[in-house]
Amino acid sequence: MAEADPKTTAAPSLDAVRTRIDAIDAAVLRLVDERAGLAHVVVAAKAAAGDAGKFGLRPARETEIIRRMLSMLSQGATPGLVIRIWREMMAESLALQGPFNLSVWGGADATRTVELARARFGGAPGLKLATRPEEALAAALSQGGVGVLALNADTAWWGRLLAQPRVKVFAALPCLASQGPMGALAVAEVEVEPTGSDMTFWVTDAAGGAGAIEEALGRDGVAATCIAVAGGLKLFNLAGFYQADDARLARAPGGMSGVIGAAPTPFDV
């Protein structure tokens, strides 16, 4: 059978396209509604397992879900659209399971930090502006609390995490590479797990320049980049996922040092 000539094949009418869009919208809504309803099933399952009231945030699983969705793209949806949709759905599900709130300390650019927080956590959680880094860190210890703190050159708030191991860095913002360089970190009382493409945050009080410390770590096979210096402390971004007791970090310069968390690398979008 001869194939139809594309020059003579009539394009679908605008009304037909709109009718198809309406049908797809209805199907998507049914699935979104079903997905949201499963949040209550999750609450019941956690209660049965003895985990009632436990904050359900699982950063590694969220990242793995989004990476899987991006790998399935084949037609018109852009990666950015997929990330925004799934971030919103996962945040809404988390909020339905229990308390979920953001405390944002924006440093010199509060508006930018709030934008980064909303892009990462969606519109579901409540958001409060913190006037001091200590407020955001304290909020991260509350049930369902997440602190989002700017990386400012004049404060070493991240150094406090050495003495507060319950709170960990679990996300670097922005979470999209196209949105610019790292400007803030998110912290919470959550389990930090590897995703296969991660960066670890390590603090040290080692004297001397950051370059000498990077070189010392490099000789031990650790690729490090200094991202903040304040209050006699230095914060490094280590390529990969490192445990707190890694022998290579134990050999690194500094008398007071340690891992304060890890985060997935930004999506290449």
Side-chain angles (χ1 to χ4, degrees):
M1 180 181 295
E3 294 184 2
D5 185 349
K7 295 180 181 179
T8 60
T9 301
S13 69
L14 184 58
D15 284 343
V17 174
R18 286 172 173 166
T19 297
R20 177 58 180 155
I21 289 174
D22 288 344
I24 291 173
D25 285 346
V28 169
L29 178 58
R30 285 193 296 271
L31 292 173
V32 170
D33 186 54
E34 180 182 358
R35 191 186 195 284
L38 289 174
H40 302 291
V41 179
V42 170
V43 172
K46 286 184 176 179
D51 290 331
K54 184 177 179 181
F55 192 23
L57 178 62
R58 293 188 59 192
R61 173 165 167 74
E62 290 185 0
T63 298
E64 289 163 358
I65 289 172
I66 292 176
R67 287 176 183 167
R68 185 171 69 249
M69 295 299 103
L70 294 179
S71 71
M72 296 167 62
L73 286 177
S74 62
Q75 295 190 38
T78 65
L81 174 62
V82 171
I83 291 170
R84 291 194 299 273
I85 290 173
W86 258 263
R87 284 293 190 208
E88 289 290 351
M89 288 198 300
M90 290 188 290
E92 182 73 18
S93 177
L94 192 59
L96 288 171
Q97 296 176 41
F100 183 21
N101 299 284
L102 305 177
S103 180
V104 179
W105 179 73
D109 192 349
T111 300
R112 172 61 172 164
T113 310
V114 169
E115 289 176 352
L116 295 177
R118 281 304 188 199
R120 170 60 179 80
F121 298 103
L127 187 151
K128 178 181 178 182
L129 288 176
T131 58
R132 298 179 298 119
E134 293 80 6
E135 291 179 27
L137 293 176
L141 285 167
S142 64
Q143 184 180 11
V146 171
V148 177
L149 299 94
L151 288 170
N152 272 31
D154 59 350
T155 178
W157 62 262
W158 29 268
R160 295 175 178 269
L161 300 185
L162 289 174
Q164 209 170 45
R166 287 170 54 194
V167 176
K168 300 179 180 67
V169 174
F170 70 89
L173 308 181
C175 56
L176 303 184
S178 62
Q179 293 179 331
M182 192 184 309
L185 300 175
V187 302
E189 193 175 357
V190 294
E191 184 177 357
V192 178
E193 302 170 303
T195 69
S197 180
D198 305 279
M199 48 188 168
T200 300
F201 298 94
W202 179 75
V203 176
T204 182
D205 65 350
I213 300 171
E214 291 172 358
E215 184 178 348
L217 288 165
R219 288 195 297 268
D220 219 353
V222 179
T225 302
C226 185
I227 58 175
V229 179
L233 298 174
K234 299 177 180 68
L235 174 63
F236 289 84
N237 172 8
L238 311 181
F241 189 90
Y242 288 83
Q243 300 288 350
D245 58 355
D246 191 289
R248 291 166 292 181
L249 302 183
R251 291 190 292 266
M256 181 179 70
S257 62
V259 171
I260 61 169
T265 56
F267 295 106
D268 191 16
V269 174

